[in-house]
């Protein structure tokens, strides 16, 4: 139990409930959601300010009064932040209720680390594919590093995998045994049957090519693969999994629309923090949500400050407890 000086009963009621729910555990959910991450960080920053002011006041009565006044001001700001977070989450829930995702597309990209980053991105794709199969969800490879997952609860389970994943291991090609650090980024996009966003056909440039890899009788002979480029934003999407050009065009358009929806939501979130970085950021080594350390046989989630072992088993899709 902690004593809180507040300017109003409403704020006191909100904050009292917040403390009972355990601040750190509660705010970790907010920090995982890119739309509320900045606000959660701002809340914790204010909390540190309150603790520092209280510590600096010590036993001095006059300084203690000043510290209490400052704490009341900061607590009021924290109450505003909580109200803002709840509004954002309520809007997200309402949007999901009106148009629940029919599937989710996971787009993986190699980040820092050269060839090893590309290998790690493929490893992650296979991990998610095997995890989905364990859950009984349907999976389909849209393109080389793009995976579609369909099934009840798939989006809720995979939505927080978005971000930069870091690997620390000795590559097979490394003769000296030196440990390399590489990254891959993951974007999770909900695909909805009825999208809220309309894309102007005049804004789309379309390219066709032959699909690579194993396929049917005509998949590698006819230009069935489709690449869509959204000219205003520069976003491009490729689909090569379907057997016809029309089907690939429809799939690519679904993914493009999901990306534009995500971009719109992110721009809305940036109104609260002009300097906040994007969901995936630059895929630099420092912008990590999870580290896969092969030498120590450990996976660490940096948002939760928790670790798990038996890494080879995890890479085979046994990630239920991480999810």
């Amino acid at each position: 139990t902690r004593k809180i000086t507040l300017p109003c009963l409403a704020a006191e009621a909100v904050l009292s409930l917040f403390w009972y729910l355990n601040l750190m555990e509660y705010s970790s959910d907010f920090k995982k959601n890119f739309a509320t991450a900045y606000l959660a960080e701002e809340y914790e920053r204010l909390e540190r300010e309150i603790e520092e002011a209280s510590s600096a006041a010590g036993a001095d009565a006059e300084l203690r009064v000043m510290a209490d006044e400052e704490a009341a001001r900061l607590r009021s700001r924290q109450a505003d932040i909580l109200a803002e977070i709840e509004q954002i989450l309520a809007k997200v829930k309402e949007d999901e209720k009106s148009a629940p995702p029919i599937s989710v597309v996971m787009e993986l990209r190699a980040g820092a680390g050269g060839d090893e980053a590309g290998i790690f991105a493929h490893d992650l794709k296979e991990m998610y594919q095997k995890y989905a199969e364990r859950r009984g969800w349907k999976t389909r490879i849209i393109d080389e590093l793009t995976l579609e997952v369909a099934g009840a609860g798939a989006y809720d389970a995979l939505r927080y995998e978005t971000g930069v994943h870091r690997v620390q291991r000795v590559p097979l090609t490394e003769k000296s045994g030196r440990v390399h650090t590489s990254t891959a980024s993951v974007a999770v996009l909900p695909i909805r049957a009825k999208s809220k966003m309309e894309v102007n056909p005049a804004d789309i440039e379309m390219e066709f090519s032959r699909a690579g890899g194993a396929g049917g009788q005509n998949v590698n002979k006819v230009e069935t693969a489709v690449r869509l480029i959204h000219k205003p934003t520069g976003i491009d999407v490729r689909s090569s999994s379907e057997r016809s050009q029309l089907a690939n065009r429809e799939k690519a358009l679904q993914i493009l629309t999901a990306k534009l929806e995500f971009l719109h939501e992110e721009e809305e979130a940036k109104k609260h923090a002009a300097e906040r970085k994007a969901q995936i950021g630059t895929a630099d080594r420092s912008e990590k949500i999870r580290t896969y350390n092969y030498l120590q046989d450990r996976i660490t989630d940096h948002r939760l400050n928790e670790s798990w072992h038996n890494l080879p088993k995890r890479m085979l899709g046994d990630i239920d407890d991480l999810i």
Side-chain angles (χ1 to χ4, degrees):
T1 305
R2 52 190 300 173
K3 186 178 179 181
I4 307 172
T5 305
L6 291 166
C8 64
L9 287 175
E12 185 174 4
V14 171
L15 283 169
S16 295
L17 176 61
F18 191 82
W19 287 116
Y20 280 113
L21 289 174
N22 186 331
L23 170 63
M24 297 310 295
E25 183 177 352
Y26 195 46
S27 64
S28 69
D29 289 337
F30 298 151
K31 289 166 75 175
K32 288 189 293 184
N33 185 335
F34 81 95
T36 57
Y38 166 76
L39 292 171
E41 290 170 3
E42 177 67 6
Y43 188 102
E44 292 183 356
R45 186 190 68 78
L46 294 173
E47 184 61 28
R48 288 192 295 271
E49 280 193 25
I50 292 170
E51 292 175 357
E52 288 170 4
S54 177
S55 176
D60 188 291
E62 188 174 341
L63 290 178
R64 174 59 59 186
V65 170
M66 294 174 62
D68 288 345
E69 290 175 352
E70 178 67 5
R73 185 184 67 81
L74 296 176
R75 293 287 184 209
S76 178
R77 172 59 186 143
Q78 285 181 318
D80 292 340
I81 289 173
L82 283 178
E84 197 170 348
I85 287 174
E86 292 298 341
Q87 286 179 354
I88 291 172
L89 296 182
K91 184 178 182 300
V92 169
K93 286 181 181 179
E94 188 61 33
D95 289 344
E96 290 174 356
K97 194 181 296 182
S98 60
I102 57 173
S103 65
V104 59
V105 166
M106 304 189 75
E107 186 181 68
L108 297 96
R109 292 191 178 186
D115 292 342
E116 177 65 11
I119 294 170
F120 179 51
H122 279 277
D123 291 345
L124 287 177
K125 187 195 73 174
E126 291 178 7
M127 179 187 77
Y128 289 123
Q129 191 170 8
K130 290 172 181 174
Y131 169 67
E133 290 167 358
R134 288 166 61 96
R135 295 287 302 267
W137 298 329
K138 292 181 180 179
T139 63
R140 180 168 50 172
I141 305 299
I142 302 298
D143 200 30
E144 184 181 6
L145 284 173
T146 306
L147 174 70
E148 183 178 24
V149 182
Y155 177 59
D156 287 337
L158 296 170
R159 61 192 301 181
Y160 295 123
E161 292 303 292
T162 292
V164 174
H165 297 241
R166 180 177 72 170
V167 64
Q168 294 174 319
R169 63 184 175 188
V170 179
L172 295 175
T173 55
E174 178 58 57
K175 296 180 181 179
S176 64
R178 187 167 60 91
V179 176
H180 282 232
T181 297
S182 308
T183 67
S185 62
V186 177
V188 180
L189 305 168
I191 303 298
R192 305 182 191 277
K194 200 170 185 180
S195 174
K196 298 173 290 183
M197 181 162 293
E198 293 183 9
V199 182
N200 186 350
D203 290 338
I204 298 177
E205 183 179 319
M206 195 176 308
E207 296 177 358
F208 304 101
S209 62
R210 295 180 185 181
Q217 293 182 357
N218 75 320
V219 73
N220 294 318
K221 298 177 183 177
V222 182
E223 292 186 332
T224 57
V226 174
R227 180 173 179 241
L228 300 182
I229 304 162
H230 188 247
K231 290 182 282 188
T233 61
I235 293 174
D236 69 287
V237 174
R238 188 175 187 272
S239 176
S240 58
S241 64
E242 306 293 344
R243 298 179 64 85
S244 72
Q245 192 180 92
L246 178 61
N248 274 321
R249 185 172 62 185
E250 289 178 352
K251 178 56 65 179
L253 185 58
Q254 276 189 324
I255 299 172
L256 176 62
T257 303
K259 284 192 170 188
L260 291 173
E261 281 185 356
F262 168 78
L263 187 64
H264 174 71
E265 291 170 1
E266 192 171 59
E267 286 173 352
E268 288 294 308
K270 283 182 178 178
K271 290 179 182 177
H272 303 294
E275 299 300 320
R276 190 185 62 79
K277 292 180 181 177
Q279 182 185 23
I280 292 178
T282 60
D284 185 74
R285 292 179 179 87
S286 62
E287 297 179 322
K288 59 188 180 295
I289 65 166
R290 194 177 289 154
T291 294
Y292 303 70
N293 189 311
Y294 276 76
L295 270 70
Q296 298 177 5
D297 186 33
R298 185 184 70 225
I299 296 179
T300 300
D301 193 303
H302 302 287
R303 299 163 299 178
L304 305 175
N305 289 324
E306 289 191 33
S307 296
W308 298 264
H309 293 280
N310 203 341
L311 202 157
K313 185 180 177 183
R314 308 293 183 181
M315 299 306 291
L316 293 174
D318 186 8
I319 55 173
D320 292 273
D321 46 353
L322 277 76
I323 297 294

